[in-house]
Amino acid sequence: MSINTIPTDKEIANISACISEGWELLPVYLNINEQMDVDGSRVYKIFHILRSWKRQKNKTMTLLLKALQEAEYTMVVDWELVRKILGYGKEVLLL
């Protein structure tokens, strides 16, 4: 999985499970202005937020990881799980 590619729906679904407390602020960090009114579990709602973000032009895994890193103080991201799922985590942003 390349960090410079557009994430697949499967990758987005898996990453959705890595985001917990404070997830409601995710649209702020992803610059999503549309109202997300989706019923379901936290993971399902996060998946729809990430999918909406992905529909915007040129949204790569790098941009997603940067947004999650930027949000670290307002939401909980399980970076070990991200690393397990993708094979890399936020450390690739330092390269």
Side-chain angles (χ1 to χ4, degrees), residues 30-48:
L30 297 175
N31 295 314
I32 297 173
N33 295 321
E34 67 185 84
Q35 181 68 27
M36 299 305 258
D37 197 20
V38 178
D39 291 329
S41 70
R42 169 187 54 84
V43 174
Y44 188 72
K45 290 175 182 180
I46 293 170
F47 171 75
H48 278 278

Side-chain angles (χ1 to χ4, degrees), residues 14-87:
N14 288 330
I15 290 171
S16 296
C18 301
I19 303 167
S20 57
E21 290 180 43
W23 67 268
E24 299 88 349
L25 293 172
L26 190 56
V28 173
Y29 289 94
L30 297 175
N31 295 314
I32 297 173
N33 295 321
E34 67 185 84
Q35 181 68 27
M36 299 305 258
D37 197 20
V38 178
D39 291 329
S41 70
R42 169 187 54 84
V43 174
Y44 188 72
K45 290 175 182 180
I46 293 170
F47 171 75
H48 278 278
I49 291 169
L50 294 177
R51 210 161 163 212
S52 175
W53 167 83
K54 178 183 149 177
R55 282 189 226 117
Q56 298 172 14
K57 194 171 185 170
N58 299 320
K59 298 301 179 183
T60 63
M61 189 63 79
T62 302
L63 294 175
L64 177 55
L65 294 179
K66 281 182 180 179
L68 293 178
Q69 183 180 32
E70 198 176 288
E72 274 186 315
Y73 298 109
T74 56
M75 74 178 87
V76 176
V77 178
D78 185 341
W79 287 105
E80 285 302 314
L81 187 53
V82 169
R83 192 171 294 105
K84 192 174 191 177
I85 290 167
L86 299 176

